[in-house]
Amino acid sequence: MERVPILKIGKTLFVSIQIDLQDESVMQLQEDLAEELAGTGAHGVIIDITAVEIVDSFIGRMLATIGSISRLFDAETVLVGMRPAVAITLTELGLSLRGVRTALNAEKGLALLNGSA
Amino acid sequence: MDVDSNQGRMGAYLRDHQDKVVSRWTELVVAGLRGRSSAAEVRRELEDLYSLVIRAMSGADVQAAGELRAALAELSRSRARNGFTPSETALAIFALKDAVYELVADTTDLMPEYLAFSRTIDDLGLHTFETYATAREQVIADQAASMLELTTPVIRLWDGIIAVPLVGTLDSVRTQLVMEKLLETLVATGAEHAVLDITGVPTVDTEVAQHLLKTVSAVRLVGAECIISGIRPQVAQTIVALGIEFGDIATKASLADALAHALSRTGHKIGTA
């Protein structure tokens, strides 16, 4: 199983998903992220999914769960770089990811976090 | 007597009487044309067809049947373009039966062959009809496709603000197309605000609203904001009456209001002159 690295930049955790998402790797990411949030006291999480081409309902739901978990640590989650096809799939699946903020790219996501901090 | 030999004898008979039959056929066809083509032109067309019919009937030529059908399809198309109805085209083919019957009527021993021949011609006449219908359907499909393209432009209103003026009914096919185009433009241009203008949407029922909500939701997922504008009084009343909830989606009366809203969100200030 491939592991997604979590980078800490200042008060923000940065996760860039560059692999084909498997159910286990997303579960692992959720665990790692929870650990990291508890340990570092970060106030924001940026998840870059520019490279993700395929999502299913499970991964969509896990993304929403990650958002909810982050909020418990008083951190905001920004999902950045979602591809149009992925956005359409998630909408068709009825997953609007209400608890997660979104931005077009990592730069804008960072600005969003800093602006709201 | 089997069909093949019937056709063979008929083919031979038709070859022997080619001139007479074609002349009579031309006469019959020209009478029904009401002056839309010259007799010489029609005769040339029919001669080509006739020789193909003979080749197809003689049975020796395997390609002739296919060629004959292709020629008939071409005839049907060109006639349709010149404003002939499909019945007129089919009747022109059926006229060959009359032309031949007038000759065969006296020779009673050719009757079975004539019947088989008649069936073949019926088949060919119907083939022109089918070609006509297929061509029509193709035209309709093309028009529907081009209409979809025409009615969903994505326009750049300002730096970082794009708009989609929706005109006509919003069904699932259109929604899909609008969504794809809008999202691709958002990602390609990096625009953060999208305005969906529904001034041109005649009615908003639960289905249309559902499609709008889906689009807004997808726009939000790629990281942009969506504003719905152009809500007419009747539409507003229907939306409320149907109990459709737009939630926290920004809705504005006009495209101008939506633009002003988006500009203020991007930090631009609009002065009033």
Side-chain angles (χ1 to χ4, degrees), chain B:
Chain B
M1 202 184 292
D2 63 320
V3 178
D4 281 347
S5 72
N6 272 351
Q7 291 212 337
R9 277 186 66 193
M10 199 63 204
Y13 182 84
L14 288 175
R15 200 172 307 116
D16 295 342
H17 297 77
Q18 173 153 6
D19 249 11
K20 259 185 176 167
V21 176
V22 172
S23 302
R24 183 67 189 132
W25 190 16
T26 311
E27 258 174 55
L28 287 169
V29 172
V30 169
L33 284 180
R34 298 198 301 271
R36 273 174 290 186
S37 304
S38 70
E41 219 175 298
V42 171
R43 191 181 167 102
R44 205 169 44 247
E45 242 174 29
L46 296 185
E47 262 171 3
D48 289 345
L49 275 183
Y50 192 78
S51 58
L52 277 171
V53 171
I54 294 172
R55 273 172 62 197
M57 302 262 325
S58 67
D61 202 333
V62 263
Q63 286 172 357
E67 272 178 50
L68 178 59
R69 280 180 178 261
L72 281 171
E74 186 44 49
L75 178 82
S76 171
R77 266 196 292 274
S78 70
R79 290 205 154 204
R81 265 200 299 277
N82 292 330
F84 288 85
T85 66
S87 310
E88 283 174 321
T89 311
L91 282 174
I93 304 298
F94 294 147
L96 175 59
K97 292 199 298 185
D98 298 334
V100 175
Y101 184 72
E102 281 166 23
L103 286 174
V104 189
D106 309 328
T107 43
T108 41
D109 65 318
L110 264 173
M111 258 315 144
E113 287 86 343
Y114 175 73
L115 276 177
F117 166 75
S118 165
R119 266 199 295 278
T120 315
I121 299 300
D122 284 347
D123 225 29
L124 297 177
L126 289 176
H127 180 67
T128 65
F129 221 104
E130 248 169 53
T131 315
Y132 179 86
T134 318
R136 258 302 146 92
E137 266 157 35
Q138 187 57 45
V139 169
I140 293 170
D142 288 350
Q143 280 174 346
S146 64
M147 214 153 81
L148 269 181
E149 287 292 316
L150 274 177
T151 50
T152 48
V154 177
I155 337 165
R156 183 167 157 266
L157 283 185
W158 207 270
D159 253 355
I161 305 170
I162 58 174
V164 187
L166 294 168
V167 179
T169 324
L170 205 58
D171 55 16
S172 35
V173 180
R174 288 236 0 238
T175 312
Q176 185 75 18
L177 202 82
V178 169
M179 222 196 265
E180 273 169 27
K181 265 180 118 174
L182 178 59
L183 296 182
E184 260 152 38
T185 318
L186 282 171
V187 170
T189 62
E192 281 184 322
H193 293 270
V195 182
L196 275 180
D197 188 79
I198 56 167
T199 315
V201 179
T203 49
V204 175
D205 54 13
T206 44
E207 201 195 336
V208 174
Q210 180 65 31
H211 290 144
L212 284 173
L213 290 173
K214 252 191 208 168
T215 312
V216 173
S217 174
V219 167
R220 208 188 69 86
L221 281 176
V222 295
E225 251 183 88
C226 202
I227 307 162
I228 297 177
S229 77
I231 298 179
R232 284 172 291 121
Q234 305 96 301
V235 171
Q237 288 182 41
T238 354
I239 289 174
V240 174
L242 288 171
I244 298 162
E245 203 50 71
F246 274 122
D248 54 357
I249 300 162
T251 49
K252 298 283 168 190
S254 68
L255 188 59
D257 294 337
L259 180 58
H261 175 83
L263 282 173
S264 72
R265 291 298 295 267
T266 51
H268 290 87
K269 284 214 170 64
I270 321 150
T272 39

Side-chain angles (χ1 to χ4, degrees), chain A residues 5-99:
Chain A
I6 301 170
L7 315 174
K8 181 173 171 293
I9 305 169
K11 281 280 177 195
T12 308
L13 296 181
F14 193 84
V15 181
S16 182
I17 299 171
Q18 310 270 350
I19 52 167
D20 279 340
L21 280 181
Q22 301 296 324
D23 291 359
E24 307 91 74
S25 37
V26 186
M27 298 279 281
Q28 185 64 47
L29 172 65
Q30 184 188 316
E31 268 173 45
D32 292 352
L33 207 54
E35 294 277 337
E36 202 75 17
L37 279 166
T40 61
H43 285 303
V45 179
I46 291 181
I47 304 174
D48 173 41
I49 52 167
T50 314
V52 176
E53 287 179 29
I54 299 162
V55 290
D56 57 18
S57 56
F58 181 77
I59 288 166
R61 205 157 49 80
M62 290 314 281
L63 290 173
T65 314
I66 288 175
S68 307
I69 291 171
S70 308
R71 198 158 331 101
L72 289 175
F73 291 104
D74 192 26
E76 240 188 311
T77 311
V78 187
L79 209 52
V80 301
M82 191 183 291
R83 291 176 179 238
V86 173
I88 291 172
T89 313
L90 286 178
T91 332
E92 293 296 334
L93 290 170
L95 292 162
S96 53
L97 305 185
R98 281 268 157 229

